[in-house]
């Protein structure tokens, strides 16, 4: 579970992004980092979704946020959170790691095919299927006035 030789591009920072994929980036900036997506679609709310199959990432650009990167679904087992590769690990082990680094309470939702644990204060969701973590989803955080807190971009 410990990430000894992890790839920086898959380091998850809740509220910030994954690696160089920082919340608030525009599509053009994301495509400079990742290249053209394998698939894209637009939902009924005019949000844009880009899918990168090899990287096992799905990215959402919210229409209400000027089509800035707002949400990341990560299924990649190279992803590292709290210094550990958690995707594929047993649910109990993952939740122990998360709770040892984050004191917030999760909201638990059970669906037909998976269970979701969401920590709203850091906008991070952990989805489990058959007792193992399948993906980590995350978004930007909000301030007390419910305004987006976009992370600062490094130059």
């Amino acid at each position: 579970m410990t990430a000894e030789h992890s790839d920086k591009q898959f380091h998850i920072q809740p509220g910030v992004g994954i690696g160089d994929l920082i919340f608030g980036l525009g599509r053009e900036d994301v495509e400079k980092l990742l290249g053209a997506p394998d698939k894209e679609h637009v939902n009924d709310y005019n949000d844009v979704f880009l899918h990168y199959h090899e990287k096992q990432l799905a990215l959402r650009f919210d229409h209400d946020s000027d089509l800035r990167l707002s949400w990341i679904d990560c299924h990649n087992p190279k992803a590292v959170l709290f210094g550990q590769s958690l995707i594929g690990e047993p649910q109990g082990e993952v939740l122990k790691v998360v709770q040892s680094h984050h004191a917030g309470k999760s909201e638990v939702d059970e669906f037909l095919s998976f269970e979701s644990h969401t920590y709203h204060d850091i906008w991070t969701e952990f989805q489990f299927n058959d007792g193992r973590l399948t993906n980590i989803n995350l978004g930007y955080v909000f301030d007390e006035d419910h305004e987006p807190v976009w992370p600062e971009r490094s130059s």
Side-chain angles (χ1 to χ4, degrees):
M1 192 176 340
T2 301
E4 295 173 17
H5 302 293
S6 62
D7 189 338
K8 179 192 175 298
Q9 74 175 339
F10 292 107
H11 277 250
I12 295 173
Q13 298 177 72
V16 176
I18 298 178
D20 292 330
L21 287 175
I22 303 300
F23 293 118
L25 290 176
R27 177 181 178 157
E28 189 174 298
D29 293 325
V30 168
E31 287 190 19
K32 284 179 187 172
L33 292 169
L34 300 180
D38 296 300
K39 179 181 173 184
E40 69 177 89
H41 70 276
V42 178
N43 67 10
D44 293 340
Y45 302 103
N46 290 319
D47 299 330
V48 175
F49 295 80
L50 304 182
H51 298 266
Y52 290 88
H53 298 159
E54 191 172 310
K55 294 190 181 308
Q56 297 175 298
L57 295 172
L59 312 176
R60 184 176 78 210
F61 298 80
D62 285 349
H63 174 75
D64 292 341
S65 297
D66 299 321
L67 293 176
R68 296 166 85 177
L69 179 61
S70 303
W71 190 256
I72 301 171
D73 289 4
C74 180
H75 296 257
N76 195 310
K78 293 180 183 175
V80 174
L81 176 65
F82 305 129
Q84 300 192 44
S85 298
L86 299 174
I87 293 180
E89 295 297 323
Q91 182 171 337
E93 302 275 328
V94 171
L95 294 176
K96 281 181 195 172
V97 169
V98 172
Q99 291 162 0
S100 73
H101 288 87
H102 179 70
K105 187 160 176 58
S106 70
E107 177 182 313
V108 179
D109 292 302
E110 291 190 33
F111 300 92
L112 289 175
S113 62
F114 67 95
E115 184 174 305
S116 168
H117 291 249
T118 303
Y119 294 83
H120 292 285
D121 57 330
I122 59 171
W123 280 109
T124 303
E125 174 192 24
F126 300 86
Q127 289 184 0
F128 299 91
N129 191 334
D130 296 327
R132 294 202 173 266
L133 183 65
T134 57
N135 50 302
I136 301 171
N137 306 324
L138 59 152
Y140 59 89
V141 294
F142 300 86
D143 66 15
E144 59 277 348
D145 296 322
H146 302 288
E147 292 295 321
V149 177
W150 298 108
E152 290 189 30
R153 300 180 199 186
S154 56
S155 335

